[in-house]
Each structure stands twice: as structure tokens, then as C-alpha cells.
Amino acid sequence: MAELHIIDHPLVQHKVSLLRDKTTGTKEFRELVSEIAMFICYEATRDLPLKEIEIETPLAVAKTKIISGRKLAFVPILRAGLGMVDGVTKLVPAAKIGHIGLFRDPDTKASVHYYSKLPEDIAERDAIIVDPMLATGNSAVSAINILKEKGAKSVKFMCIICSPEGVAAIQAAHPDVEIYTGAMDQGLNEDKYIVPGVGDAGDRIFGTK
Ligand code: URA
């Protein structure tokens, strides 16, 4: 079973607490999502391969290391995942961005696929899905299915808050997919929102409610 990484760095915990606050407004919420995404991405990219090079400093030749050309794609699940793109691309500016559109059927809570646009060379890329809330896991599992069908070299899943149910759903369907999260909450309410969570992350990022 792939690992569940809970990124409990004090700065992440502090910023997740601010996110939860119902008085946090849209501007600050959006900035926090982006910053937390950057911290989590730092851990999700810890296994990037390095190669040794030589660089001339003003004093001597240094044998030193740089990232050795692994190709990454970040794939936000629309629409809340868009809020994490700015943060992750600050860390990996050369990454390509794919999009997967899934909405939650209000009655069945099943995830319905309505859009995807992935980099043409996705089969040469390691994909990292980004979505702030891993709730039932239905969208996450569908997005992972799509990326695997398109031949992505590997798939990771990054979120800001997860539920135990969401983690279990990914691990049951895709035991090879590593999950990176800033917090694990108690569970889901009857509307399948994460409790205590942050409410509707998409509405809070885009100010639609
Ligand atoms: N999506 C959200 O935005 N919030 C939740 O709690 C669950 C899914």
C-alpha cells in the first residue's frame, strides 16, 4: 500500500487553521490555499531525481546537484483544484497543467466526468492530481482512472484536507497512489462534506456563495 503523507509542519497546521475559520474571506482563503499547496508540493516532490553537475563558483569548481529532467504534470480537478495551481507551479514552473472536470451528482454523490484536457505527452509524465478536499474519494478515484487510462507514468494525489473515507477509497481502488495532505479530519456529514473541514472549498476560493 502506498504511503499516506500527512504534512504536519507547524506552518501548514497554522495555515490550515486559518482556512477553517468561517470568517476568513475569499482573498485570504485563496492565498492560503495557494501557500499550503506549495508546502505540500515540497513534500510530494521529495523523490525528484537529481544528477551531479559541476559549477564554477567565484572560488572553485563545485560538484553539485540539479533536478534531472523528470517531467511533471499537475492536474487540478475542476473547479476547486484550480486554487492550488498557482502554489505548485511556483515550485515547479516547468510542469505542464492538465485539467479534469468532475462534478458531484447532488443526489447520488457519484462523480460525473464532463471535461478533460491533458498534456499531449502525458504518457511521458509523472502526474500529481490537486484537489483541496478529499471527501468521498469518488472524484479522486475517477481522476486517477483517467490519468492511468491515458498512460501517465505515475500518479500522486495532493489535497489540503482529507477524510478517512476518501483515503480508504483511493487506497482500495489504487493502492499504488501516494496521498499527500495537510490534515486528516473526523469524517463526512450526511451531505458528504468533510467535518470539521472548511465548508465548500470551491465557493470559498471563488467567492461564489
Ligand atoms: N468538497 C468541498 O469543497 N468540501 C468538502 O467538505 C467536501 C467536498
Side-chain angles (χ1 to χ4, degrees), residues 1-208:
M1 179 80 66
E3 240 184 289
L4 166 67
H5 304 261
I6 300 181
I7 315 305
D8 61 355
H9 188 287
L11 287 171
V12 173
Q13 294 194 52
H14 180 83
K15 287 174 190 291
V16 170
S17 300
L18 299 178
L19 263 194
R20 294 186 189 280
D21 188 334
K22 67 177 183 187
T23 69
T24 297
T26 300
K27 176 177 180 289
E28 195 188 353
F29 192 91
R30 200 182 288 149
E31 288 166 357
L32 287 164
V33 167
S34 175
E35 288 165 4
I36 297 165
M38 189 158 59
F39 287 121
I40 298 174
C41 182
Y42 181 78
E43 286 302 325
T45 51
R46 186 172 276 287
D47 60 354
L48 283 176
L50 294 167
K51 66 177 178 196
E52 197 166 87
I53 58 160
E54 289 189 351
I55 292 222
E56 274 185 54
T57 79
L59 299 181
V61 172
K63 280 193 194 308
T64 187
K65 289 180 179 173
I66 58 168
I67 289 168
S68 74
R70 181 180 284 181
K71 291 172 153 186
L72 281 187
F74 292 111
V75 183
I77 300 181
L78 303 179
R79 74 186 156 138
L82 292 175
M84 297 171 75
V85 171
D86 178 58
V88 296
T89 52
K90 277 204 174 105
L91 281 192
V92 192
K96 296 272 171 75
I97 311 295
H99 294 87
I100 294 182
L102 296 163
F103 70 87
R104 199 199 267 200
D105 183 295
D107 300 321
T108 64
K109 313 295 182 209
S111 104
V112 183
H113 178 212
Y114 66 91
Y115 180 78
S116 32
K117 185 82 182 174
L118 299 172
E120 272 178 4
D121 61 353
I122 190 69
E124 292 162 30
R125 292 184 178 267
D126 295 290
I128 303 182
I129 299 170
V130 296
D131 193 3
M133 308 301 280
L134 171 58
T136 61
N138 291 339
S139 303
V141 168
S142 302
I144 297 166
N145 285 339
I146 291 166
L147 283 164
K148 286 188 172 176
E149 278 161 20
K150 298 286 180 192
K153 281 175 71 182
S154 71
V155 183
K156 290 180 178 178
F157 186 88
M158 247 182 75
C159 59
I160 291 179
I161 300 180
C162 67
S163 69
E165 295 91 330
V167 169
I170 292 185
Q171 289 180 336
H174 296 288
D176 57 308
V177 171
E178 291 189 53
I179 303 168
Y180 294 81
T181 186
M184 164 105 94
D185 275 7
Q186 284 154 28
L188 303 176
N189 68 11
E190 61 279 7
D191 295 320
K192 307 297 182 198
Y193 277 84
I194 297 178
V195 181
V198 301
D200 190 301
D203 280 338
R204 296 195 66 189
I205 291 167
F206 297 109
T208 38

